[in-house]
Amino acid sequence: HRSAEPPEEVAVRSRLPGHDDRKRAGFGAFRRRVGDCAHLSRSVLQSRFTQTSVDQCLDPAVAVAAYRWLVCFLLEKSRTRLEQLRAEGQDEFQARNNSQAYYCSSLALAFIEYTCLGRFHELVQDQRTPAGLRPVLQKLCALFGLWSLSRHTGTLYQGGHMSGEEPAELLQRPSWWKEFCSDKPAVGSLRAKL
């Protein structure tokens, strides 16, 4: 028996993209995202970080694309490591267990961050999201994307998605943090001006 939920919670959850699909399909959203990465990994791994300004990086789609690349890269590395362990004669259990320590834990974390950022970005773009909230949510989405992506800079360089000094400088907090703090509300103001 399902307990009664407050109407505002039902309204908010029903507005989330894919809410009904998730409820019926269970792990469908998970399979769809992993399948997307596995299927597109070759073309995704060809992409490069080409942004050259802070303004370009403030588009949440930039962080979503970088995360898609990161997940595909780690997925490919995990697959390669698993095949290597099998070729060395390890049984299926041992090979899977040992490959998890190699790239799979990083893959899991990156996948969760990619999924959260992707869902957030979808919600920002959803026409059912109030127009007055979209600019604030877009900035917040970009902030989360850049902040969380900055922790994966080493892997992005290792795999060749980023090269040179410029991408690292663009993702460092000092260079883009001012963009989010420049329009702060006055002390005591009830209205945020993000």
Side-chain angles (χ1 to χ4, degrees), residues 8-75:
E8 51 282 351
E9 282 186 32
V10 172
V12 167
R13 264 195 289 115
S14 65
R15 284 187 36 233
L16 293 173
H19 169 70
D20 293 332
D21 295 339
R22 280 195 320 258
K23 193 172 183 180
R24 278 180 266 152
F27 288 110
F30 173 78
R31 288 188 196 121
R32 187 172 52 251
R33 294 245 187 227
V34 169
D36 175 43
C37 288
H39 177 69
L40 298 174
S41 67
R42 287 186 184 94
S43 62
V44 170
L45 291 174
Q46 299 292 324
S47 69
R48 298 292 176 256
F49 187 88
T50 58
Q51 287 65 35
T52 57
S53 71
V54 173
D55 289 338
Q56 290 174 333
C57 291
L58 294 180
D59 179 1
V62 170
V64 171
Y67 261 106
R68 184 177 301 116
W69 183 94
L70 179 66
V71 169
C72 288
F73 176 75
L74 293 172
L75 187 63

Side-chain angles (χ1 to χ4, degrees), residues 82 85-86 90-100:
L82 182 61
L85 293 173
R86 286 176 182 155
Q90 292 187 11
D91 63 37
E92 189 66 23
F93 176 78
Q94 262 187 324
R96 286 185 182 271
N97 193 38
N98 292 336
S99 71
Q100 287 179 5

Side-chain angles (χ1 to χ4, degrees), residues 107-128:
L107 171 60
L109 292 172
F111 181 77
I112 290 167
E113 291 168 355
Y114 166 62
T115 302
C116 290
L117 182 62
R119 301 286 296 158
F120 192 178
H121 190 234
E122 289 171 10
L123 183 63
V124 170
Q125 293 179 323
D126 192 325
Q127 294 302 316
R128 295 174 290 183

Side-chain angles (χ1 to χ4, degrees), residues 124-163:
V124 170
Q125 293 179 323
D126 192 325
Q127 294 302 316
R128 295 174 290 183
T129 301
L133 289 178
R134 282 190 207 141
V136 174
L137 291 175
Q138 181 154 346
K139 286 184 177 183
L140 189 59
C141 185
L143 173 64
F144 170 71
L146 293 173
W147 171 75
S148 57
L149 191 62
S150 67
R151 292 179 287 163
H152 299 285
T153 306
T155 306
L156 293 166
Y157 274 101
Q158 175 192 1
H161 185 65
M162 292 181 169
S163 61

